[in-house]
Amino acid sequence: MDIHPIEFRGQPALRATSTDGGAFTVSLHGAQLLSWTTAGGVERLYLSPRAVFDGVAAIRGGVPICCPQFNQRGMLPKHGFMRNLPWENRGIDATSGELTLRLRDSEATRKLWPHAFEARLQIGMAASRLRTTLTLLNIGHGPFSFAAALHTYLHVDDIAQVRLEGLQGANRWDSLRDDRHVETAATLRFDAEFDSVYAAPAKPLRLVQPSGTLEIAQSASCSETVVWNPGAVLGAKLADMPEDGYRHMLCVEAARIDEQVLLVPGAQWQGWQQLRVL
């Protein structure tokens, strides 16, 4: 894998290419994946053309890192602070061959969250496959708890023609209706706003559309899968997304949110999501 620094919409980023024609781009702001293309140049992630690239705001699309808080479930800013800070490029890991980025606590983070930590994001790419791994280490003297999610925006041709398979039988919390039930549908389809947290199934999900199928797997340490599409009504209200942006994306997120991770000094937690084109 060949890595070189680039400027992406005025902000520092890294571009990785592989011998099989695959490539990804990751922003140093938030260690946020912005693009993943497989051989032939097919884009697999959605990045809003109206996303803000000012080195401060969260970037709409790609794979934002939500940590140490998910959404507004706590006292921190929405989705925590890691997606809003510059990360350090640590280069290619000699053992795994993956690109590693790192974030450590600072005076600014300790004002929000008074803990000593080191976060690492590792991105590995192989033939038609991408794996993103988030690791959090407690390098302080006391325990802390956190939530985390890899908030992946997948690119779809048309949301009306997409189906998501593999969640039948999973416990579901529909956040729009504040309703908890077991998912009965073998296939999820999307014709309006959709926002649900599922107990993650043991087997990978399949995102099926006319142009092909994507397999979505996650580590057992990510105990939830979040599925989100804003639909036409909410989508029109999002300033950093085109009105029809909802038609071309579906978020399928590997998450650990319902039961937070308790990390004692010296311990680490790791969670990953893998995308594979079938």
Side-chain angles (χ1 to χ4, degrees), residues 15-33:
R15 178 77 170 165
T17 54
S18 63
T19 54
D20 67 356
F24 68 77
T25 301
V26 59
S27 171
L28 294 183
H29 178 64
Q32 187 159 332
L33 265 167

Side-chain angles (χ1 to χ4, degrees), residues 50 60 193 230-243:
R50 294 186 184 173
R60 174 75 68 185
E193 184 180 356
V233 176
L234 176 59
K237 298 176 182 177
L238 299 175
D240 56 357
M241 184 182 284
E243 283 195 18

Side-chain angles (χ1 to χ4, degrees), residues 67-69 74-77 80-82 85 103-119 136-139 142-147 260-263:
C67 193
Q69 177 179 297
M75 302 302 291
L76 294 174
F81 52 77
M82 293 189 186
L85 294 175
L103 176 70
R104 284 183 164 172
D105 62 284
S106 64
E107 184 178 348
T109 68
R110 289 189 293 272
K111 287 179 180 177
L112 293 169
W113 198 59
H115 303 294
F117 70 89
E118 179 176 306
L136 200 62
L137 300 90
N138 184 341
I139 58 174
F144 61 72
S145 298
F146 68 94
Q260 293 201 344
V261 179
L262 176 63
L263 215 54

Side-chain angles (χ1 to χ4, degrees), residues 2 21 56 81 107 125 156 159 197 227 246:
D2 180 46
V56 178
F81 52 77
E107 184 178 348
M125 180 172 55
V156 301
I159 193 66
V197 179
V227 182
Y246 76 95

Side-chain angles (χ1 to χ4, degrees), residues 1 3 14-17 23-28 30-36 45 63 65 87 89 91-93 96-102 120-126 129-135 150 271-275:
M1 190 162 62
I3 308 285
L14 300 169
R15 178 77 170 165
T17 54
F24 68 77
T25 301
V26 59
S27 171
L28 294 183
Q32 187 159 332
L33 265 167
L34 304 174
S35 170
W36 172 46
L45 300 179
V63 187
I65 296 172
W87 289 51
N89 173 20
I92 299 291
D93 184 274
S96 67
E98 298 173 324
L99 173 65
T100 302
L101 292 92
R102 184 176 73 178
R120 298 178 192 149
L121 186 78
Q122 289 184 292
I123 309 168
M125 180 172 55
R129 187 173 73 243
L130 185 83
R131 179 178 288 213
T132 308
T133 305
L134 176 65
T135 304
L150 295 168
W272 55 259
Q273 183 187 59
Q274 179 174 282
L275 308 175

